[in-house]
Amino acid sequence: MAVNRAGIVDKNFVGRLSELSAGPTRNDLDSPVREGTSLTARRAIDLFRTQIESRHLDLAARVLKAKNECFYTIGSSGHEGNCVVAAAARPSDPAFLHYRSGAFYIERGRQVPGATPLFDIMLGLCASKDEPIAGGRHKVFGSKLLEIPPQTSTIASHLPKAVGMARALSEPWHQSHEREAGRATDKIVICTFGDASANHSTATGAINYAEWLAHSGVAAPILFVCEDNGIGISTPTPQGWIATTYGNRENLAYIGGDGLDLPDGFDAATAAVSWVRQHRRPAFLHLRTVRLLGHAGSDVEVTYRTPEQIAAVEALDPLLRTAALLVAGGWLSAADTVAMYEDARTRITALGEEAIRRPKLTDLGEVIAPLAPQSAKFIRADAVESAPETARIAAHAGDLPELDKPRHLAVQINRALLDALAKYPEMRLFGEDVAKKGGVYHLTADLQKRFGPDRVFDMLLDEQSILGTAIGYGQAGLLPVPEIQYLAYFHNACDQIRGEACSLQYFSQGQFQNPMVVRIAGYGYQKGFGGHFHNDNSVAALRDIPGLIIASPARGDDAVAMFRTCLAAAEVNGLVSVFIEPIALYMTKDLHADGDGEWNTPYPAHDHHVAIGSGKLYGSGTDLTIITWANGLWMSLRVAKRLAEAGISTRVLDLRWLNPLPDADILAAASATGNVLVVDECRRTGGISEAVFTSLVDAGFRGKMSRVAGHDVYIPLGGAANLVLIQEADILAAANLAVARETVKK
Amino acid sequence: MSRLLVVCPGRGSYSKETLGSLRKTPSVVAADAFRARLGRPTPTEMDAVEAMSSRLHVAGENASILTMAASLADHDALDPSHVVAVVGNSMGWYTALAVAGALPLESAFHLVETMGQYQVDNVIGGQLLYPLVDEDWRELRSLELAAALDDTSELYHSIHLGGQAVVGGSVAAINALSKRLSVRKIGVRDAPMLLPLHSAFHTPLMADTSKRAFTDLGNLPFQAPRVPLVDGRGVVFHPRTAEPGAIRDYTLGHQVTHPYDFTTSLVVALRDFAPDRIVLLGPGGNLGGPVAQTLIREGWKQFTGRTNFVERQSVDPFVIAMNRPEQRQLVTDV
């Protein structure tokens, strides 16, 4: 049964407005709109206008959708009371808004001269490239001017970064930066979400993180605003669930407010905002709302709610409550309210007509442009710049690493981190066990000792919070270098990079950035120790994330230079990089024989640069090209020596970057022999070998291709691990086979 | 019903072509009476002289009231129920206050008269006009101007005027700037163009003027407007709820010493009220250029450039200059 609830709600509203019973006319606009509230009549009328405008944007979206001119109909109807939160906060308080916070957005816009929130939203609905934040790439509430970073509507996935931002706001570096710029140093973060998404692990994890910070005495001024409409699409939230869950927590102040009743909501929001600002601790504002017009335009509500239930919810329309309050109080006449409502309809309808004429994105290059811009020249310039020598000497406790003898990967990464901390005062390094312990593999040893607990700190054991902190810190102007202890741990928090970090520039046309370099210890070959969680060799979930840079060095010198490049890319272009370090090579010193020390490298000079997407070639053999990286490189070079001894000459290409792949280097190396063997330590499915083959085919390579790759199975404990991971014997056999086939063919 | 956005022009709109055009509407009668009481030339008298005179028509104390009276005369011809929002430019803000009902007419006269009298023998610094658009009114930045504003003390943005910049500053700074900028055209005239007898309005050099204004005019009966009124920051003052004190503080404080962003005020008015037409009150219609340039920059109604704008104006004008009879009748005969 297709029933136009938008039309019914609209019609009922106008009908009921004209029936409102009026009190004696009053003009003392600065009096409380009701006894006991701090909301004045003047403010209430302004908020009523905001509520009306929000409603009409929803109604207009439905009308435009029917004409195929609008591409998003999830609306804010029934949630218009969230305007009180904007009214209670300051426009400089960063706000992470979910998709029903339209009235908040409009109300904040009213506080900033020159802002045009109605047209912003209308342009978003129509997917116009003139829309000021996402430029037609998404319909989001976002504005640089209004301190509202765009959110991607992935359920509650914005909460971890909101907490991260709140923590960053109290950071000494950030505070002094704000002070110097003449900005407020008592900002708070606002974060809105629904009652259904409050159940999501990102929400529970983020709130837990905020409480953990509060419990630990770390300032995290965040106001969680749960706009509780009692239903998630079709599934009701159990009665009392939110209040029961969040109403009685030691480290989370809980304030309930009625978002259907403007004065009550306003007083609650004011109390909540002021409590957070004063105490610099997290609070939870539980705002009662209803959901009108269904979940979205396509949602047929009668399939899960009876007509009586729908009508009962519609009777709770918050706009009607506000109108009744103002009319009964004598501040407005019923005719005034109808006039305001119809005036907004006229304006917003006209704005819709203007918005649909605005240009759309029609060019692929234009669509992609803001995703992950790379200014190679400037990245290089930044990467080769070194910290002042005095700072470096202090960082390295007197011993400059380039003067030392060649050392192994773990040592060189540790030194690169010390150098980076000396070079970038805004850099923060954090993760599990990175500070006091210095990391599971001691790669972060001495960092906290040298640079202090504000710059190097341990995190709670939650990867979503770690990556959320990185996003929040990055947005706040810091340069975060989070560590994920093992590659497998990344996967439970993948969406923080996939849905959030890597999408920010894209959905804000570069106006917001969250630069970061995520270090991850990864891959197998730990002699059967630790099981699959400590030997994860799956990179598929990373490789298809748009815009993500993936670096994966095998040797100390490359690691140092590539890490510098990743930091520079973050600094220059706000890029997000993942830096996967092969655990098995951390302590490896030798290549061919015990004690040869051939895997040790000197610490590279500051001007040694490795560009993003550039591979490295070993050897110049003509029989076979081996393409590989990380552990595969170490094994392949060993095999290459044995092949050489057998009279087979090879060249080995280290990919170094898994995204973007060094396509030109791949083609050149492959073409030199016409015979390619890819050595892929990851799984056969979704691993790198597939990507290398595709690269070659796309480039028109007509030579031979073969591969050895890990098996599509979880890595078992003990010696059995070697059955599923590729071994040198496998590489040798595959190489011999490839060359033999070639010989036969010739 | 046509929904109209009313634009009130600033001083300097009245020109020799305008002489003799002032209509005797109720507002003009009131303005004449106000000036007569002060023993100063009335708008009607000034309009009636045979030749334009710098001393009479350009001097601030006369030009302002003349411009205001001419604007009000045009507004008197409109059906007020069609007006959905009002913006002003520079001195036109005082007219806008009256038009929108944020100040009673007599108080608006008093305001404009007093601010004008402050200028008598007391021109502080100067103003200069420079185009930031090409011949087709598409954006053409000036690095020279940007650099000068950056590196010269006592030089400030004064008015953001669509595709033109009005720069204010000390006499020395303005003179130096006028020599530094490459010559560009505004219509047939060469720019940079010095604005005669203009102070460095809307700059920090006017701080004392603002102080005097608060003393002399702080008690004017500012009130919430009858129709939405958009100021030179892009703030909308709404009927009923606008705070009189906020309008006063802006009028006597902020806009006196800070840039008047006419461009933003127009953009906000468009993007909040989506009017059917824009109506330029007053003489000269020389605000038509900045309005059109803003529309073009904004892509509003798909205006793409001067040629396109002029062509479409000739068919179905979106911008109505009240001093053009063929356009005027579109909004006064409805």
Side-chain angles (χ1 to χ4, degrees):
Chain A
M1 182 173 71
V3 179
N4 178 6
R5 293 315 303 185
I8 291 169
V9 168
D10 185 23
K11 199 171 150 208
N12 285 348
F13 182 70
V14 177
R16 286 174 189 166
L17 281 184
S18 36
E19 293 163 6
L20 292 174
S21 52
T25 304
R26 292 175 68 175
N27 290 316
D28 49 340
L29 288 166
D30 292 317
S31 302
V33 72
R34 189 169 65 205
E35 203 180 323
T37 179
S38 62
L39 181 67
T40 63
R42 187 189 301 281
R43 201 78 194 273
I45 296 171
D46 278 335
L47 292 174
F48 181 48
R49 187 183 308 105
T50 293
Q51 291 186 303
I52 288 172
E53 288 169 339
S54 177
R55 174 67 55 86
H56 275 299
L57 282 164
D58 285 359
L59 297 175
R62 307 289 171 117
V63 172
L64 291 170
K65 170 73 176 68
K67 297 177 185 167
N68 208 25
E69 297 282 7
C70 165
F71 306 90
Y72 196 90
T73 52
I74 298 181
S76 304
S77 294
H79 284 242
E80 291 91 347
N82 58 35
C83 65
V84 297
V85 185
R90 298 178 192 153
S92 56
D93 291 329
F96 296 71
L97 303 181
H98 82 324
Y99 48 58
R100 297 203 194 279
S101 295
F104 180 111
Y105 185 84
I106 296 167
E107 182 55 26
R108 174 161 284 192
R110 298 303 177 210
Q111 299 167 20
V112 178
T116 55
L118 303 184
F119 198 56
D120 291 356
I121 295 173
M122 189 56 89
L123 288 168
L125 291 170
C126 299
S128 168
K129 70 175 179 184
D130 286 351
E131 192 272 333
I133 193 75
R137 289 167 189 81
H138 197 1
K139 189 270 164 195
V140 286
F141 295 121
S143 165
K144 187 72 180 167
L145 181 67
L146 303 182
E147 288 285 353
I148 300 176
Q151 306 311 322
T152 60
S153 300
T154 318
I155 304 302
S157 53
H158 57 301
L159 268 67
K161 62 181 170 183
V163 181
M165 168 70 96
R167 185 173 182 175
L169 290 182
S170 304
E171 236 267 350
W173 183 88
H174 188 265
Q175 286 267 314
S176 67
H177 209 257
E178 294 290 284
R179 211 171 288 122
E180 278 168 28
R183 291 190 286 259
T185 52
D186 62 347
K187 291 179 188 172
I188 69 169
V189 169
I190 312 270
C191 181
T192 67
F193 52 95
D195 50 298
S197 58
N199 298 300
H200 200 276
S201 74
T202 41
T204 57
I207 295 169
N208 175 73
Y209 175 33
E211 292 175 279
W212 183 88
L213 291 169
H215 186 74
S216 312
V218 178
I222 182 166
L223 179 62
F224 296 105
V225 181
C226 180
E227 298 181 19
D228 185 353
N229 63 26
I231 195 164
I233 304 188
S234 68
T235 306
T237 295
Q239 193 71 33
W241 170 242
I242 297 294
T244 305
T245 308
Y246 291 105
N248 189 25
R249 294 196 176 193
E250 183 68 26
N251 291 297
L252 185 70
Y254 173 90
I255 297 117
D258 191 351
L260 304 177
D261 180 75
L262 210 58
D264 189 82
F266 180 80
D267 289 335
T270 304
V273 164
S274 117
W275 190 91
V276 175
R277 203 178 302 287
Q278 186 188 345
H279 295 277
R280 320 298 294 162
R281 287 166 66 87
F284 190 101
L285 175 62
H286 183 194
L287 211 54
R288 180 186 173 220
T289 64
V290 290
R291 193 193 70 194
L292 304 176
L293 319 188
H295 172 70
S298 55
D299 179 29
V300 184
E301 223 176 351
V302 289
T303 56
Y304 54 86
R305 268 177 168 170
T306 65
E308 292 74 26
Q309 284 173 326
I310 294 171
V313 168
E314 287 169 359
L316 296 172
D317 188 337
L319 272 65
L320 203 56
R321 281 281 284 279
T322 310
L325 175 78
L326 291 166
V327 172
W331 313 107
L332 293 177
S333 68
D336 290 335
T337 59
V338 175
M340 285 175 75
Y341 188 75
E342 292 305 332
D343 172 65
R345 186 201 304 278
T346 305
R347 285 187 289 129
I348 285 166
T349 302
L351 289 175
E353 284 163 13
E354 174 65 28
I356 62 177
R357 286 194 290 258
R358 291 303 181 103
K360 305 279 197 290
L361 289 165
T362 53
D363 178 79
L364 175 63
E366 196 180 10
V367 171
I368 296 172
L371 175 67
Q374 274 185 41
S375 318
K377 200 173 122 189
F378 294 105
I379 291 173
R380 182 194 172 93
D382 187 273
V384 300
E385 197 179 308
S386 172
E389 187 154 303
T390 47
R392 293 194 66 222
I393 290 171
H396 294 287
D399 303 318
L400 285 179
E402 57 270 34
L403 304 176
D404 192 11
K405 63 184 183 191
R407 300 295 301 272
H408 52 281
L409 180 64
V411 168
Q412 303 297 37
I413 289 177
N414 176 257
R415 291 161 157 184
L417 293 171
L418 286 164
D419 264 342
L421 283 160
K423 176 176 170 182
Y424 300 103
E426 69 275 29
M427 177 174 153
R428 300 292 176 271
L429 187 143
F430 48 89
E432 295 157 14
D433 310 307
V434 298
K436 282 189 181 160
K437 181 177 167 67
V440 174
Y441 300 101
H442 304 293
L443 268 78
T444 55
D446 297 330
L447 301 184
Q448 191 184 51
K449 203 160 67 187
R450 308 262 167 85
F451 289 93
D454 287 335
R455 299 195 57 195
V456 179
F457 52 88
D458 286 321
M459 285 287 293
L460 76 176
L461 207 153
D462 176 39
E463 283 70 25
Q464 285 181 163
S465 296
I466 292 171
L467 295 175
T469 299
I471 300 174
Y473 271 47
Q475 283 196 38
L478 293 155
L479 178 55
V481 179
E483 178 184 302
I484 299 295
Q485 206 163 56
Y486 289 99
L487 183 53
Y489 301 176
F490 168 78
H491 289 102
N492 71 55
C494 178
D495 187 57
Q496 288 300 302
I497 299 298
R498 175 184 296 276
E500 301 299 322
C502 284
S503 72
L504 185 63
Q505 292 211 60
Y506 181 70
F507 289 126
S508 70
Q509 301 178 92
Q511 297 170 78
F512 289 91
Q513 296 184 337
N514 42 209
M516 70 179 78
V517 182
V518 186
R519 289 183 46 251
I520 305 179
Y523 308 135
Y525 301 101
Q526 293 168 68
K527 298 176 181 163
F529 184 80
H532 87 275
F533 238 62
H534 299 93
N535 288 268
D536 193 359
N537 62 344
S538 168
V539 293
L542 283 160
R543 278 205 64 249
D544 82 328
I545 297 177
L548 179 66
I549 306 291
I550 307 173
S552 194
R555 303 156 35 122
D557 51 359
D558 278 344
V560 173
M562 290 165 71
F563 187 64
R564 291 172 183 158
T565 303
C566 290
L567 286 171
E571 190 79 354
V572 171
N573 290 119
L575 295 184
V576 178
S577 298
V578 162
F579 198 82
I580 308 177
E581 300 160 6
I583 298 167
L585 296 175
Y586 273 155
M587 306 301 169
T588 301
K589 300 177 179 66
D590 305 324
L591 178 55
H592 300 296
D594 285 352
D596 69 8
E598 286 191 37
W599 207 245
N600 286 332
T601 64
Y603 191 80
H606 69 88
D607 59 354
H608 175 70
H609 178 64
V610 175
I612 292 170
S614 65
K616 182 174 179 178
L617 194 62
Y618 294 79
S620 55
T622 53
D623 296 330
L624 180 67
T625 299
I626 298 177
I627 298 180
T628 185
W629 84 102
N631 292 299
L633 176 67
W634 186 81
M635 292 188 289
S636 296
L637 290 174
R638 285 164 58 87
V639 170
K641 186 170 187 227
R642 290 163 69 184
L643 288 168
E645 286 160 5
I648 299 169
S649 75
T650 62
R651 56 182 63 207
V652 179
L653 177 69
D654 179 7
L655 296 168
R656 299 200 291 198
W657 304 88
L658 306 187
N659 200 36
L661 280 174
D663 292 308
D665 295 334
I666 291 171
L667 181 63
S671 301
T673 64
N675 191 354
V676 172
L677 171 64
V678 181
V679 174
D680 181 355
E681 64 178 289
C682 293
R683 296 179 193 153
R684 297 180 69 80
T685 303
I688 298 300
S689 53
E690 292 180 349
V692 173
F693 284 177
T694 307
S695 170
L696 286 167
V697 171
D698 283 350
F701 179 70
R702 293 284 178 270
K704 273 186 59 186
M705 293 189 283
S706 57
R707 66 169 172 166
V708 284
H711 290 273
D712 289 334
V713 68
Y714 302 101
I715 293 167
L717 267 181
N722 295 331
L723 300 174
V724 305
L725 291 167
I726 51 171
Q727 305 296 309
E728 285 180 27
D730 302 322
I731 301 169
L732 187 62
N736 277 321
L737 189 61
V739 175
R741 276 192 194 143
E742 186 66 9
T743 311
V744 170
K745 198 175 146 194
K746 278 175 185 167
Chain B
M1 186 183 98
S2 213
R3 300 168 62 256
L4 308 178
L5 167 65
V6 166
V7 180
C8 307
R11 208 181 115 186
S13 308
Y14 198 89
S15 67
K16 61 182 179 197
E17 290 81 19
T18 332
L19 272 181
S21 67
L22 191 61
R23 291 157 206 256
K24 199 97 178 167
T25 70
S27 298
V28 174
V29 170
D32 285 347
F34 175 82
R35 286 280 287 198
R37 279 201 303 278
L38 296 173
R40 295 185 183 131
T42 67
T44 299
E45 287 165 1
M46 290 188 276
D47 184 67
V49 300
E50 283 202 0
M52 183 90 174
S53 123
S54 169
R55 189 186 52 78
L56 184 65
H57 296 97
V58 181
E61 69 274 21
N62 292 336
S64 298
I65 190 79
L66 192 50
T67 305
M68 180 184 260
S71 303
L72 292 171
D74 285 339
H75 182 252
D76 285 345
L78 300 174
D79 179 342
S81 70
H82 291 187
V83 177
V84 295
V86 179
V87 303
N89 174 45
S90 189
M91 175 247 124
W93 171 248
Y94 306 143
T95 311
L97 289 168
V99 162
L103 261 187
L105 210 50
E106 283 292 314
S107 301
F109 295 148
H110 184 47
L111 169 65
V112 82
E113 184 68 27
T114 308
M115 296 303 258
Q117 283 299 320
Y118 290 165
Q119 297 297 306
V120 177
D121 300 326
N122 186 34
V123 173
I124 302 164
Q127 272 182 326
L128 165 160
L129 186 66
Y130 194 66
L132 297 174
V133 284
D134 65 13
E135 302 266 302
D136 200 35
W137 287 348
R138 290 177 226 245
E139 188 171 1
L140 182 66
R141 290 181 189 178
S142 167
L143 294 177
E144 291 170 338
L145 178 58
L149 283 162
D150 202 40
D151 66 25
T152 315
S153 60
E154 300 207 318
L155 195 64
Y156 309 93
H157 277 295
S158 174
I159 307 176
H160 297 284
L161 193 58
Q164 297 167 21
V166 178
V167 182
S170 64
V171 172
I174 289 291
N175 285 339
L177 179 65
S178 71
K179 294 190 182 82
R180 182 168 171 180
L181 294 174
S182 308
V183 173
R184 289 183 176 180
K185 290 279 183 192
I186 297 181
V188 293
R189 300 174 66 183
D190 282 347
M193 204 188 282
L194 292 167
L195 301 181
L197 298 178
H198 279 224
S199 286
F201 299 119
H202 317 296
T203 74
L205 300 185
M206 304 304 287
D208 286 343
T209 302
S210 171
K211 246 183 244 171
R212 280 179 79 182
F214 271 106
T215 308
D216 297 344
L217 302 166
N219 290 328
L220 285 182
F222 290 95
Q223 60 196 18
R226 278 189 310 272
V227 286
L229 173 63
V230 188
D231 76 12
R233 297 167 295 185
V235 169
V236 184
F237 293 109
H238 284 282
R240 200 185 315 264
T241 56
E243 294 190 46
I247 302 176
R248 178 200 59 216
D249 291 350
Y250 174 71
T251 302
L252 307 180
H254 190 282
Q255 68 92 21
V256 179
T257 55
H258 289 72
Y260 199 98
D261 193 343
F262 172 72
T263 312
T264 294
S265 72
L266 188 60
V267 168
V268 167
L270 290 168
R271 287 172 159 234
D272 255 13
F273 300 98
D276 297 325
R277 294 187 202 275
I278 296 176
V279 178
L280 300 184
L281 301 183
N286 61 359
L287 205 49
V291 168
Q293 289 151 6
T294 305
L295 294 170
I296 291 161
R297 197 194 70 166
E298 190 46 20
W300 198 262
K301 292 201 177 290
Q302 297 177 304
F303 287 118
T304 55
R306 181 180 192 166
T307 313
N308 164 271
F309 179 78
V310 171
E311 274 170 19
R312 287 172 55 190
Q313 279 288 100
S314 67
V315 180
D316 179 17
F318 177 57
V319 181
I320 303 292
M322 289 292 273
N323 67 336
R324 294 189 179 198
E326 77 283 7
Q327 293 181 354
R328 180 188 180 92
Q329 56 95 18
L330 291 171
V331 291
T332 52
D333 289 344
V334 286

